[in-house]
Amino acid sequence: MPLVKERLGIETLNDMQLKMMQTSTEAHDIMLLSPTGSGKTLAFILPMLKMLKPASGRVQAIVIAPSRELVLQIFGIIRNIAAGFKTTALYGGHKVEDEVNSLQAGTDIIVATPGRLLDHINRRNIDVLPTRILVLDEFDKSLELGFEKEMKKICDRLKNVSRRLLTSATRADVLPDFLKLDNPVTINYLKENRELRSRTRVHRVDSDANDKLDTLTLLLENLANETKGHERSIVFVNHRESAERTCQYLRKRGIPAVLYHGALDQRDRETAVALFNNGTRPVLVATDLAARGLDIEGVKNVIHYHQALTPESYTHRNGRTARVDAEGDIYVLVGPKEDVKEYIEFDDTRYLDPEKRYKAERNYETLYFSAGRREKLSKGDILGFLVKEGGLEGSDIGKIDVYDHYALAAVCCRDINKLTSNIKGKKIKGEKRLISVVG
């Protein structure tokens, strides 16, 4: 618990996390049902770490998650608090050579997407036979058609698993036999969804046209007018093509939007989340991929440009706002001939004012550095470089994200051209690196 407090800033565990810790001493297999944003990642990590034997460089625990983003979020938390244990992340879009090198050096905990994990198993890059603990995060998604064959092949290789932890924000009707669950104890905190509903307001926004892009733009401008700037908002659409079209339309009209969907490569997805989190692009246009697993905080508005196709999807989307004890607003855009899904319940109708538009200046720009963690570049290195060579004050520098082979830094700069001129050709940590403004 001291590391949790020191490195994650969490003073006390919530009721659900305490319940998981207690139950893990009494039951071998546990199914945790809890809404998005309730802290269930830490709820399974803490008992998992408690179950580990001393570090040996052989795989003791495997955590499987359905998306790269969720893998990275879980990996980041475990790496922060699992002192003495080697943790390796495996996911599509990541350099296979980096993963193989990490595995060959030995690892105690693996966090992976199903496809990439199975690929390493098939290539014999990893011996999973010693694995005793299996965690399936967002198991309802991991066991959907398309993942199920991969999951069966993986589980068939995990012959010595004796502890299983499953988590989800929605209940699955049937669990496959290949999981080999042994009288699992269910911990159900889905009643928290009702508490989440009490902290949100759901607004109907009617559009005069079937194509709701003008209505969406006006809504975002009205919201920005009220707060004198764009608060973090996620616009959900149902298709990748729609996401691209919507994002392009908003940006042409001066809305600081960024695109996020599953067809983007890993670096573009990471960059999109970084720009959203650091304030450079506070409007994220996304498919349902962004409804789970993303490490984002402080989302004020969830906007359904397209209505969610299922009640579960609607729940997950809305769970991106009003996290922990915060409040949030949810907007559902409704076309002239569009029927509202039966699971959507409105609190009111929002009427838009075409006179209340807001054209915000960008408070932040983001700089790209062509080196990262693997090149031994740290956040401190970047901060020091921007102060010394760029002439910035520490207060001018926002969030810095360092990835394996590149880094991103948000800067509050009224003259970005002067800044880039100051740092052009300068060495950072003894090396010249490509540094550019992210478009």
Side-chain angles (χ1 to χ4, degrees), residues 237-265:
V237 299
N238 288 342
H239 311 287
R240 294 169 180 173
E241 298 78 7
S242 301
E244 291 175 0
R245 175 172 174 260
T246 302
C247 187
Q248 186 178 45
Y249 186 92
L250 293 176
R251 292 184 65 170
K252 282 182 178 179
R253 281 148 187 82
I255 305 290
V258 65
L259 176 68
Y260 185 88
H261 61 62
L264 299 176
D265 66 30

PDB file of all heavy atoms in Angstrom, residues 237-265:
ATOM      1  N   VAL A 237     -18.992   8.030 -32.532  1.00  0.00           N
ATOM      2  CA  VAL A 237     -19.654   7.649 -33.786  1.00  0.00           C
ATOM      3  C   VAL A 237     -19.563   6.126 -33.919  1.00  0.00           C
ATOM      4  O   VAL A 237     -18.813   5.476 -33.199  1.00  0.00           O
ATOM      5  CB  VAL A 237     -18.994   8.340 -34.998  1.00  0.00           C
ATOM      6  CG1 VAL A 237     -19.094   9.853 -34.897  1.00  0.00           C
ATOM      7  CG2 VAL A 237     -17.538   7.923 -35.136  1.00  0.00           C
ATOM      8  N   ASN A 238     -20.320   5.581 -34.877  1.00  0.00           N
ATOM      9  CA  ASN A 238     -20.386   4.120 -34.975  1.00  0.00           C
ATOM     10  C   ASN A 238     -19.452   3.507 -36.008  1.00  0.00           C
ATOM     11  O   ASN A 238     -19.309   2.285 -36.045  1.00  0.00           O
ATOM     12  CB  ASN A 238     -21.827   3.680 -35.280  1.00  0.00           C
ATOM     13  CG  ASN A 238     -22.744   3.852 -34.085  1.00  0.00           C
ATOM     14  OD1 ASN A 238     -22.281   3.985 -32.954  1.00  0.00           O
ATOM     15  ND2 ASN A 238     -24.049   3.874 -34.325  1.00  0.00           N
ATOM     16  N   HIS A 239     -18.813   4.325 -36.839  1.00  0.00           N
ATOM     17  CA  HIS A 239     -17.979   3.776 -37.909  1.00  0.00           C
ATOM     18  C   HIS A 239     -16.702   4.593 -38.070  1.00  0.00           C
ATOM     19  O   HIS A 239     -16.695   5.809 -37.842  1.00  0.00           O
ATOM     20  CB  HIS A 239     -18.741   3.749 -39.230  1.00  0.00           C
ATOM     21  CG  HIS A 239     -20.106   3.149 -39.134  1.00  0.00           C
ATOM     22  ND1 HIS A 239     -20.319   1.800 -38.981  1.00  0.00           N
ATOM     23  CD2 HIS A 239     -21.329   3.730 -39.132  1.00  0.00           C
ATOM     24  CE1 HIS A 239     -21.628   1.572 -38.901  1.00  0.00           C
ATOM     25  NE2 HIS A 239     -22.253   2.726 -38.988  1.00  0.00           N
ATOM     26  N   ARG A 240     -15.643   3.938 -38.500  1.00  0.00           N
ATOM     27  CA  ARG A 240     -14.363   4.627 -38.692  1.00  0.00           C
ATOM     28  C   ARG A 240     -14.476   5.735 -39.731  1.00  0.00           C
ATOM     29  O   ARG A 240     -13.928   6.827 -39.547  1.00  0.00           O
ATOM     30  CB  ARG A 240     -13.298   3.621 -39.146  1.00  0.00           C
ATOM     31  CG  ARG A 240     -12.949   2.584 -38.095  1.00  0.00           C
ATOM     32  CD  ARG A 240     -12.097   1.480 -38.693  1.00  0.00           C
ATOM     33  NE  ARG A 240     -11.763   0.473 -37.691  1.00  0.00           N
ATOM     34  CZ  ARG A 240     -11.135  -0.668 -37.972  1.00  0.00           C
ATOM     35  NH1 ARG A 240     -10.775  -0.927 -39.223  1.00  0.00           N
ATOM     36  NH2 ARG A 240     -10.866  -1.536 -37.018  1.00  0.00           N
ATOM     37  N   GLU A 241     -15.180   5.440 -40.827  1.00  0.00           N
ATOM     38  CA  GLU A 241     -15.313   6.450 -41.884  1.00  0.00           C
ATOM     39  C   GLU A 241     -16.039   7.682 -41.350  1.00  0.00           C
ATOM     40  O   GLU A 241     -15.686   8.814 -41.692  1.00  0.00           O
ATOM     41  CB  GLU A 241     -16.069   5.874 -43.089  1.00  0.00           C
ATOM     42  CG  GLU A 241     -15.384   4.700 -43.779  1.00  0.00           C
ATOM     43  CD  GLU A 241     -15.545   3.384 -43.043  1.00  0.00           C
ATOM     44  OE1 GLU A 241     -16.302   3.324 -42.034  1.00  0.00           O
ATOM     45  OE2 GLU A 241     -14.882   2.403 -43.459  1.00  0.00           O
ATOM     46  N   SER A 242     -17.036   7.455 -40.517  1.00  0.00           N
ATOM     47  CA  SER A 242     -17.767   8.571 -39.917  1.00  0.00           C
ATOM     48  C   SER A 242     -16.862   9.373 -38.993  1.00  0.00           C
ATOM     49  O   SER A 242     -16.942  10.604 -38.936  1.00  0.00           O
ATOM     50  CB  SER A 242     -18.968   8.052 -39.120  1.00  0.00           C
ATOM     51  OG  SER A 242     -19.842   7.322 -39.934  1.00  0.00           O
ATOM     52  N   ALA A 243     -16.000   8.686 -38.259  1.00  0.00           N
ATOM     53  CA  ALA A 243     -15.073   9.372 -37.358  1.00  0.00           C
ATOM     54  C   ALA A 243     -14.143  10.285 -38.155  1.00  0.00           C
ATOM     55  O   ALA A 243     -13.923  11.445 -37.777  1.00  0.00           O
ATOM     56  CB  ALA A 243     -14.268   8.354 -36.551  1.00  0.00           C
ATOM     57  N   GLU A 244     -13.612   9.780 -39.253  1.00  0.00           N
ATOM     58  CA  GLU A 244     -12.694  10.572 -40.065  1.00  0.00           C
ATOM     59  C   GLU A 244     -13.397  11.784 -40.670  1.00  0.00           C
ATOM     60  O   GLU A 244     -12.866  12.907 -40.640  1.00  0.00           O
ATOM     61  CB  GLU A 244     -12.090   9.689 -41.160  1.00  0.00           C
ATOM     62  CG  GLU A 244     -11.138   8.649 -40.599  1.00  0.00           C
ATOM     63  CD  GLU A 244     -10.623   7.682 -41.641  1.00  0.00           C
ATOM     64  OE1 GLU A 244     -11.005   7.823 -42.827  1.00  0.00           O
ATOM     65  OE2 GLU A 244      -9.839   6.788 -41.276  1.00  0.00           O
ATOM     66  N   ARG A 245     -14.586  11.567 -41.196  1.00  0.00           N
ATOM     67  CA  ARG A 245     -15.344  12.664 -41.813  1.00  0.00           C
ATOM     68  C   ARG A 245     -15.714  13.722 -40.773  1.00  0.00           C
ATOM     69  O   ARG A 245     -15.598  14.923 -41.014  1.00  0.00           O
ATOM     70  CB  ARG A 245     -16.594  12.089 -42.480  1.00  0.00           C
ATOM     71  CG  ARG A 245     -17.539  13.127 -43.069  1.00  0.00           C
ATOM     72  CD  ARG A 245     -18.635  12.435 -43.863  1.00  0.00           C
ATOM     73  NE  ARG A 245     -19.632  13.394 -44.324  1.00  0.00           N
ATOM     74  CZ  ARG A 245     -20.802  13.601 -43.739  1.00  0.00           C
ATOM     75  NH1 ARG A 245     -21.139  12.911 -42.657  1.00  0.00           N
ATOM     76  NH2 ARG A 245     -21.656  14.483 -44.216  1.00  0.00           N
ATOM     77  N   THR A 246     -16.164  13.261 -39.610  1.00  0.00           N
ATOM     78  CA  THR A 246     -16.586  14.183 -38.547  1.00  0.00           C
ATOM     79  C   THR A 246     -15.417  15.002 -38.027  1.00  0.00           C
ATOM     80  O   THR A 246     -15.512  16.220 -37.854  1.00  0.00           O
ATOM     81  CB  THR A 246     -17.240  13.399 -37.391  1.00  0.00           C
ATOM     82  OG1 THR A 246     -18.357  12.660 -37.900  1.00  0.00           O
ATOM     83  CG2 THR A 246     -17.705  14.326 -36.284  1.00  0.00           C
ATOM     84  N   CYS A 247     -14.282  14.342 -37.770  1.00  0.00           N
ATOM     85  CA  CYS A 247     -13.111  15.042 -37.252  1.00  0.00           C
ATOM     86  C   CYS A 247     -12.618  16.091 -38.261  1.00  0.00           C
ATOM     87  O   CYS A 247     -12.299  17.228 -37.892  1.00  0.00           O
ATOM     88  CB  CYS A 247     -12.004  14.045 -36.933  1.00  0.00           C
ATOM     89  SG  CYS A 247     -10.589  14.788 -36.089  1.00  0.00           S
ATOM     90  N   GLN A 248     -12.567  15.707 -39.517  1.00  0.00           N
ATOM     91  CA  GLN A 248     -12.116  16.637 -40.559  1.00  0.00           C
ATOM     92  C   GLN A 248     -13.037  17.849 -40.648  1.00  0.00           C
ATOM     93  O   GLN A 248     -12.587  18.994 -40.763  1.00  0.00           O
ATOM     94  CB  GLN A 248     -12.061  15.902 -41.904  1.00  0.00           C
ATOM     95  CG  GLN A 248     -11.466  16.711 -43.041  1.00  0.00           C
ATOM     96  CD  GLN A 248     -11.392  15.900 -44.323  1.00  0.00           C
ATOM     97  OE1 GLN A 248     -12.348  15.198 -44.701  1.00  0.00           O
ATOM     98  NE2 GLN A 248     -10.265  15.965 -45.003  1.00  0.00           N
ATOM     99  N   TYR A 249     -14.337  17.610 -40.562  1.00  0.00           N
ATOM    100  CA  TYR A 249     -15.330  18.687 -40.635  1.00  0.00           C
ATOM    101  C   TYR A 249     -15.151  19.665 -39.472  1.00  0.00           C
ATOM    102  O   TYR A 249     -15.144  20.887 -39.650  1.00  0.00           O
ATOM    103  CB  TYR A 249     -16.740  18.075 -40.605  1.00  0.00           C
ATOM    104  CG  TYR A 249     -17.864  19.055 -40.821  1.00  0.00           C
ATOM    105  CD1 TYR A 249     -18.355  19.292 -42.106  1.00  0.00           C
ATOM    106  CD2 TYR A 249     -18.434  19.742 -39.756  1.00  0.00           C
ATOM    107  CE1 TYR A 249     -19.406  20.196 -42.319  1.00  0.00           C
ATOM    108  CE2 TYR A 249     -19.471  20.640 -39.953  1.00  0.00           C
ATOM    109  CZ  TYR A 249     -19.958  20.849 -41.232  1.00  0.00           C
ATOM    110  OH  TYR A 249     -20.988  21.753 -41.426  1.00  0.00           O
ATOM    111  N   LEU A 250     -14.978  19.127 -38.252  1.00  0.00           N
ATOM    112  CA  LEU A 250     -14.822  19.980 -37.076  1.00  0.00           C
ATOM    113  C   LEU A 250     -13.546  20.811 -37.156  1.00  0.00           C
ATOM    114  O   LEU A 250     -13.548  22.008 -36.838  1.00  0.00           O
ATOM    115  CB  LEU A 250     -14.806  19.126 -35.806  1.00  0.00           C
ATOM    116  CG  LEU A 250     -16.117  18.415 -35.436  1.00  0.00           C
ATOM    117  CD1 LEU A 250     -15.910  17.521 -34.215  1.00  0.00           C
ATOM    118  CD2 LEU A 250     -17.241  19.413 -35.175  1.00  0.00           C
ATOM    119  N   ARG A 251     -12.459  20.191 -37.589  1.00  0.00           N
ATOM    120  CA  ARG A 251     -11.185  20.917 -37.637  1.00  0.00           C
ATOM    121  C   ARG A 251     -11.227  22.049 -38.664  1.00  0.00           C
ATOM    122  O   ARG A 251     -10.643  23.116 -38.443  1.00  0.00           O
ATOM    123  CB  ARG A 251     -10.044  19.951 -37.923  1.00  0.00           C
ATOM    124  CG  ARG A 251      -9.803  18.998 -36.761  1.00  0.00           C
ATOM    125  CD  ARG A 251      -8.624  18.091 -36.975  1.00  0.00           C
ATOM    126  NE  ARG A 251      -7.369  18.825 -37.026  1.00  0.00           N
ATOM    127  CZ  ARG A 251      -6.178  18.257 -37.020  1.00  0.00           C
ATOM    128  NH1 ARG A 251      -6.085  16.933 -36.938  1.00  0.00           N
ATOM    129  NH2 ARG A 251      -5.073  18.967 -37.082  1.00  0.00           N
ATOM    130  N   LYS A 252     -11.915  21.821 -39.769  1.00  0.00           N
ATOM    131  CA  LYS A 252     -12.051  22.880 -40.772  1.00  0.00           C
ATOM    132  C   LYS A 252     -12.818  24.076 -40.217  1.00  0.00           C
ATOM    133  O   LYS A 252     -12.675  25.190 -40.704  1.00  0.00           O
ATOM    134  CB  LYS A 252     -12.762  22.341 -42.020  1.00  0.00           C
ATOM    135  CG  LYS A 252     -11.857  21.521 -42.927  1.00  0.00           C
ATOM    136  CD  LYS A 252     -12.605  21.069 -44.168  1.00  0.00           C
ATOM    137  CE  LYS A 252     -11.679  20.294 -45.109  1.00  0.00           C
ATOM    138  NZ  LYS A 252     -12.413  19.822 -46.312  1.00  0.00           N
ATOM    139  N   ARG A 253     -13.636  23.817 -39.204  1.00  0.00           N
ATOM    140  CA  ARG A 253     -14.429  24.897 -38.604  1.00  0.00           C
ATOM    141  C   ARG A 253     -13.827  25.402 -37.289  1.00  0.00           C
ATOM    142  O   ARG A 253     -14.492  26.040 -36.486  1.00  0.00           O
ATOM    143  CB  ARG A 253     -15.879  24.424 -38.412  1.00  0.00           C
ATOM    144  CG  ARG A 253     -16.640  24.495 -39.731  1.00  0.00           C
ATOM    145  CD  ARG A 253     -17.697  23.436 -39.899  1.00  0.00           C
ATOM    146  NE  ARG A 253     -18.238  23.503 -41.257  1.00  0.00           N
ATOM    147  CZ  ARG A 253     -17.634  22.943 -42.318  1.00  0.00           C
ATOM    148  NH1 ARG A 253     -16.475  22.318 -42.178  1.00  0.00           N
ATOM    149  NH2 ARG A 253     -18.173  23.048 -43.529  1.00  0.00           N
ATOM    150  N   GLY A 254     -12.573  25.114 -37.097  1.00  0.00           N
ATOM    151  CA  GLY A 254     -11.852  25.683 -35.957  1.00  0.00           C
ATOM    152  C   GLY A 254     -12.022  24.964 -34.644  1.00  0.00           C
ATOM    153  O   GLY A 254     -11.588  25.461 -33.601  1.00  0.00           O
ATOM    154  N   ILE A 255     -12.660  23.788 -34.652  1.00  0.00           N
ATOM    155  CA  ILE A 255     -12.810  23.009 -33.413  1.00  0.00           C
ATOM    156  C   ILE A 255     -11.537  22.185 -33.218  1.00  0.00           C
ATOM    157  O   ILE A 255     -11.117  21.456 -34.124  1.00  0.00           O
ATOM    158  CB  ILE A 255     -14.037  22.072 -33.483  1.00  0.00           C
ATOM    159  CG1 ILE A 255     -15.313  22.842 -33.799  1.00  0.00           C
ATOM    160  CG2 ILE A 255     -14.172  21.269 -32.191  1.00  0.00           C
ATOM    161  CD1 ILE A 255     -15.812  23.727 -32.700  1.00  0.00           C
ATOM    162  N   PRO A 256     -10.889  22.267 -32.056  1.00  0.00           N
ATOM    163  CA  PRO A 256      -9.629  21.541 -31.828  1.00  0.00           C
ATOM    164  C   PRO A 256      -9.867  20.049 -31.580  1.00  0.00           C
ATOM    165  O   PRO A 256      -9.848  19.553 -30.448  1.00  0.00           O
ATOM    166  CB  PRO A 256      -9.051  22.223 -30.583  1.00  0.00           C
ATOM    167  CG  PRO A 256     -10.250  22.729 -29.844  1.00  0.00           C
ATOM    168  CD  PRO A 256     -11.266  23.102 -30.894  1.00  0.00           C
ATOM    169  N   ALA A 257     -10.128  19.323 -32.681  1.00  0.00           N
ATOM    170  CA  ALA A 257     -10.512  17.909 -32.584  1.00  0.00           C
ATOM    171  C   ALA A 257      -9.363  17.009 -33.005  1.00  0.00           C
ATOM    172  O   ALA A 257      -8.492  17.386 -33.788  1.00  0.00           O
ATOM    173  CB  ALA A 257     -11.740  17.653 -33.462  1.00  0.00           C
ATOM    174  N   VAL A 258      -9.381  15.775 -32.484  1.00  0.00           N
ATOM    175  CA  VAL A 258      -8.404  14.768 -32.865  1.00  0.00           C
ATOM    176  C   VAL A 258      -9.134  13.438 -33.071  1.00  0.00           C
ATOM    177  O   VAL A 258     -10.156  13.171 -32.431  1.00  0.00           O
ATOM    178  CB  VAL A 258      -7.288  14.639 -31.795  1.00  0.00           C
ATOM    179  CG1 VAL A 258      -7.834  14.116 -30.472  1.00  0.00           C
ATOM    180  CG2 VAL A 258      -6.137  13.778 -32.295  1.00  0.00           C
ATOM    181  N   LEU A 259      -8.605  12.628 -33.970  1.00  0.00           N
ATOM    182  CA  LEU A 259      -9.272  11.403 -34.416  1.00  0.00           C
ATOM    183  C   LEU A 259      -8.734  10.181 -33.683  1.00  0.00           C
ATOM    184  O   LEU A 259      -7.533  10.076 -33.414  1.00  0.00           O
ATOM    185  CB  LEU A 259      -9.032  11.245 -35.923  1.00  0.00           C
ATOM    186  CG  LEU A 259      -9.555   9.983 -36.613  1.00  0.00           C
ATOM    187  CD1 LEU A 259     -11.083   9.979 -36.630  1.00  0.00           C
ATOM    188  CD2 LEU A 259      -9.005   9.905 -38.038  1.00  0.00           C
ATOM    189  N   TYR A 260      -9.647   9.223 -33.386  1.00  0.00           N
ATOM    190  CA  TYR A 260      -9.231   8.006 -32.707  1.00  0.00           C
ATOM    191  C   TYR A 260     -10.117   6.837 -33.147  1.00  0.00           C
ATOM    192  O   TYR A 260     -11.323   6.851 -32.918  1.00  0.00           O
ATOM    193  CB  TYR A 260      -9.342   8.194 -31.185  1.00  0.00           C
ATOM    194  CG  TYR A 260      -8.829   7.028 -30.398  1.00  0.00           C
ATOM    195  CD1 TYR A 260      -7.494   6.936 -30.049  1.00  0.00           C
ATOM    196  CD2 TYR A 260      -9.669   5.995 -30.017  1.00  0.00           C
ATOM    197  CE1 TYR A 260      -7.012   5.859 -29.337  1.00  0.00           C
ATOM    198  CE2 TYR A 260      -9.205   4.907 -29.312  1.00  0.00           C
ATOM    199  CZ  TYR A 260      -7.868   4.847 -28.966  1.00  0.00           C
ATOM    200  OH  TYR A 260      -7.403   3.763 -28.271  1.00  0.00           O
ATOM    201  N   HIS A 261      -9.506   5.839 -33.782  1.00  0.00           N
ATOM    202  CA  HIS A 261     -10.232   4.588 -34.098  1.00  0.00           C
ATOM    203  C   HIS A 261      -9.234   3.461 -34.322  1.00  0.00           C
ATOM    204  O   HIS A 261      -8.013   3.679 -34.382  1.00  0.00           O
ATOM    205  CB  HIS A 261     -11.178   4.760 -35.292  1.00  0.00           C
ATOM    206  CG  HIS A 261     -10.516   5.133 -36.586  1.00  0.00           C
ATOM    207  ND1 HIS A 261      -9.596   4.336 -37.223  1.00  0.00           N
ATOM    208  CD2 HIS A 261     -10.647   6.227 -37.383  1.00  0.00           C
ATOM    209  CE1 HIS A 261      -9.200   4.896 -38.349  1.00  0.00           C
ATOM    210  NE2 HIS A 261      -9.809   6.057 -38.463  1.00  0.00           N
ATOM    211  N   GLY A 262      -9.743   2.243 -34.465  1.00  0.00           N
ATOM    212  CA  GLY A 262      -8.900   1.052 -34.480  1.00  0.00           C
ATOM    213  C   GLY A 262      -8.036   0.869 -35.703  1.00  0.00           C
ATOM    214  O   GLY A 262      -7.080   0.086 -35.663  1.00  0.00           O
ATOM    215  N   ALA A 263      -8.310   1.563 -36.807  1.00  0.00           N
ATOM    216  CA  ALA A 263      -7.502   1.402 -38.012  1.00  0.00           C
ATOM    217  C   ALA A 263      -6.251   2.264 -37.988  1.00  0.00           C
ATOM    218  O   ALA A 263      -5.384   2.117 -38.852  1.00  0.00           O
ATOM    219  CB  ALA A 263      -8.339   1.724 -39.255  1.00  0.00           C
ATOM    220  N   LEU A 264      -6.144   3.180 -37.031  1.00  0.00           N
ATOM    221  CA  LEU A 264      -4.932   3.989 -36.909  1.00  0.00           C
ATOM    222  C   LEU A 264      -3.802   3.123 -36.374  1.00  0.00           C
ATOM    223  O   LEU A 264      -4.028   2.180 -35.609  1.00  0.00           O
ATOM    224  CB  LEU A 264      -5.168   5.156 -35.946  1.00  0.00           C
ATOM    225  CG  LEU A 264      -6.262   6.155 -36.320  1.00  0.00           C
ATOM    226  CD1 LEU A 264      -6.426   7.180 -35.190  1.00  0.00           C
ATOM    227  CD2 LEU A 264      -5.921   6.871 -37.621  1.00  0.00           C
ATOM    228  N   ASP A 265      -2.555   3.448 -36.763  1.00  0.00           N
ATOM    229  CA  ASP A 265      -1.450   2.674 -36.190  1.00  0.00           C
ATOM    230  C   ASP A 265      -1.239   3.095 -34.739  1.00  0.00           C
ATOM    231  O   ASP A 265      -1.798   4.081 -34.265  1.00  0.00           O
ATOM    232  CB  ASP A 265      -0.175   2.799 -37.029  1.00  0.00           C
ATOM    233  CG  ASP A 265       0.424   4.202 -37.051  1.00  0.00           C
ATOM    234  OD1 ASP A 265       0.268   4.935 -36.055  1.00  0.00           O
ATOM    235  OD2 ASP A 265       1.049   4.567 -38.060  1.00  0.00           O
TER     236      ASP A 265
END
